[in-house]
Amino acid sequence: MFDADQIKQLKQLIGDQVEAGRTELDKLVDQSRAIRSEVRVIKPRAATSVALMASDGGNNKVAFNPFYLQVVRVVDSSGKELCMEVVSPISDIDALSRRQFDDGTPCTALGRMMLGLGVERLQDLSPMMSGRSPSWVQVFRDLCEWATLYDLVCHRDYAVDTLIVRDGLLRSKIFHGELFVKMGELMYEAIERIRRDDRRKVWLVGLAKKTQVLEYYRLAISLSGVFDNGAACFAKVPSEMLDKVYLWDEYTRSIEDESKGEKPKFNIGSMYFVRFGPYFGDPIWTVDVMSRQDKEAQAIFGYLQADAVAGFPIPLYPNCIQQADSFSRVADLDMDIIEDQLVDAVRDQVGEEKAPVIDALRLASDVAARRYE
């Protein structure tokens, strides 16, 4: 532990660094004040909300070394399972690609997205699916989530106006070339078709619990008081803020941006700061509205705010996302079942003669784990 002299020294050193950074803080506060004129009050509305969410990858890892599995499960807010896959870093990616099709016809959400984008192999969909790094299983998980989102928009009928909510921004760097933007255009075409043929509106948004830009400007926003208006409100994030925080302009620029340089290829959204509660201490979230639907932001946030008021256990966070999280989580008894299935599969592979060795190893690991729970 620090002694009294060390604490005194630390206090001085920390104070010096904060004082040196005061100029930068003042600049950030001035930038934050600039959005005051863009702040709009949210007018609550009622709508059916459908959320899409993949379960947390950290909860879905199952290992019995050297065997390691990643369970990919995507569920919507009504509890309907949209995707289920089990992969391993040693899985054959070509075989996994073929599994998305049945005699050339897509049989999964991922296969339908691949067909729409004109690719037949996962390696052509994402350069990170080469298999050179074991982290490709996490990329595959993200691709499955985007595929189910694509499927919800492009291959489902809606009887009522519907807001589709993704847990995360409408931005991604995992797709090859401009395929991500192409996917966004296909989804917007489907939304327009639904509006024209079925007379129904479908909106697409992505909401992130944490983002670099919000974390960087959180203090400045609080000090500037731009949202201190006693009402739920929102404001578009200025490009100056985005350029300050993010290095890749392809990640921040709108798809409608025709300025010089490389075209945006990682982004199909317009970013907003949103507070669903009326008070100073209520949380502020970062929300991406689909760029092509930017003009409907007021209606979209009205629907989201109505859902966020009922949010539990996270207050003032869309309840539809929290419901999807609850349904999609793979844990407790479900995880025990998966682990048992993995051990049984290993026992079958080694044969009856060596099966007791597997049982002994499993029992030893269980005792050690439960000793420290």
Side-chain angles (χ1 to χ4, degrees):
M1 294 182 63
F2 294 118
D3 59 31
D5 290 338
Q6 288 173 321
I7 293 175
K8 183 178 180 180
Q9 182 182 11
L10 274 173
K11 181 179 179 180
Q12 180 63 43
L13 292 172
I14 292 172
D16 291 343
Q17 292 302 314
V18 172
E19 183 179 357
R22 179 56 190 267
T23 301
E24 177 66 14
L25 176 60
D26 290 340
K27 291 180 181 178
L28 298 183
V29 171
D30 289 341
Q31 277 189 308
S32 299
R33 287 198 182 105
I35 69 175
R36 187 188 300 275
S37 61
E38 301 299 322
V39 174
R40 299 289 182 267
V41 173
I42 297 176
K43 300 176 182 178
R45 303 178 182 226
T48 299
S49 294
V50 176
L52 175 70
M53 184 175 182
S55 56
D56 186 354
N59 291 333
N60 290 5
K61 298 175 183 177
V62 182
F64 189 75
N65 289 319
F67 300 96
Y68 161 79
L69 303 178
Q70 176 77 34
V71 180
V72 180
R73 186 165 183 254
V74 186
V75 180
D76 69 16
S77 55
S78 64
K80 182 179 180 179
E81 185 175 275
L82 306 176
C83 174
M84 170 69 87
E85 284 278 5
V86 179
V87 294
S88 165
I90 61 174
S91 296
D92 185 334
I93 298 179
D94 286 324
L96 188 60
S97 298
R98 292 192 294 271
R99 204 159 76 200
Q100 312 308 316
F101 299 87
D102 183 8
D103 291 331
T105 302
C107 56
T108 66
L110 184 55
R112 286 186 285 274
M113 185 180 74
M114 292 169 68
L115 179 66
L117 296 178
V119 299
E120 298 180 354
R121 301 165 66 245
L122 289 169
Q123 297 93 323
D124 298 327
L125 183 62
S126 171
M128 302 176 190
M129 290 297 296
S130 63
R132 288 191 291 266
S133 169
S135 62
W136 72 262
V137 295
Q138 294 292 336
V139 174
F140 179 75
R141 169 190 176 274
D142 292 341
L143 288 173
C144 287
E145 186 176 356
W146 283 112
T148 47
L149 182 68
Y150 172 88
D151 217 39
L152 275 177
V153 175
C154 298
H155 299 286
R156 180 176 290 194
D157 296 326
Y158 291 96
V160 296
D161 295 347
T162 303
L163 175 63
I164 300 176
V165 188
R166 177 180 186 267
D167 184 27
L169 298 177
L170 301 181
R171 301 162 197 256
S172 177
K173 296 180 182 179
I174 64 175
F175 286 78
H176 190 276
E178 297 180 4
L179 288 179
F180 182 67
V181 171
K182 182 179 179 180
M183 180 191 69
E185 291 298 322
L186 291 174
M187 288 194 291
Y188 183 68
E189 289 174 7
I191 289 172
E192 285 296 288
R193 173 180 52 77
I194 294 169
R195 180 188 60 80
R196 182 181 62 253
D197 297 345
D198 302 333
R199 303 297 179 93
R200 294 289 179 260
K201 292 183 178 181
V202 174
W203 300 276
L204 175 63
V205 301
L207 192 151
K209 297 182 183 72
K210 289 186 178 182
T211 59
Q212 289 177 259
V213 64
L214 181 56
E215 293 304 308
Y216 192 74
Y217 280 94
R218 189 181 297 278
L219 176 59
I221 289 173
S222 298
L223 292 174
S224 63
V226 293
F227 289 139
D228 296 350
N229 56 5
C233 53
F234 66 94
K236 193 168 186 177
V237 181
S239 58
E240 293 78 13
M241 285 188 174
L242 297 174
D243 293 340
K244 179 77 173 180
V245 176
Y246 297 105
L247 298 177
W248 297 71
D249 63 350
E250 299 97 328
Y251 187 78
T252 59
R253 287 166 52 210
S254 168
I255 57 175
E256 298 175 337
D257 187 344
E258 298 181 354
S259 59
K260 294 182 179 179
E262 190 172 4
K263 292 183 178 180
K265 57 184 179 181
F266 302 139
N267 174 34
I268 59 173
S270 296
M271 188 181 291
Y272 290 80
F273 289 144
V274 184
R275 190 184 68 191
F276 294 119
Y279 303 113
F280 171 81
D282 290 333
I284 297 173
W285 311 106
T286 308
V287 180
D288 262 348
V289 173
M290 195 176 196
S291 293
R292 303 292 193 191
Q293 298 181 313
D294 211 8
K295 295 180 180 179
E296 299 183 72
Q298 176 62 257
I300 290 170
F301 292 132
Y303 296 131
L304 265 183
Q305 197 266 344
D307 192 51
V309 169
F312 180 84
I314 303 175
L316 297 174
Y317 187 76
N319 194 56
C320 57
I321 295 181
Q322 299 189 60
Q323 288 294 315
D325 180 29
S326 176
F327 285 124
S328 65
R329 190 175 296 123
V330 180
D332 301 328
L333 180 60
D334 289 337
M335 187 58 70
D336 289 339
I337 292 173
I338 294 172
E339 291 175 348
D340 287 341
Q341 292 297 321
L342 173 58
V343 174
D344 288 344
V346 175
R347 290 175 83 256
D348 292 341
Q349 289 297 317
V350 301
E352 292 185 8
E353 183 178 347
K354 296 294 185 180
V357 175
I358 304 300
D359 294 335
L361 286 173
R362 176 62 191 274
L363 180 60
S365 64
D366 282 351
V367 171
R370 283 166 170 72
R371 169 65 179 82
Y372 294 101
E373 284 182 351

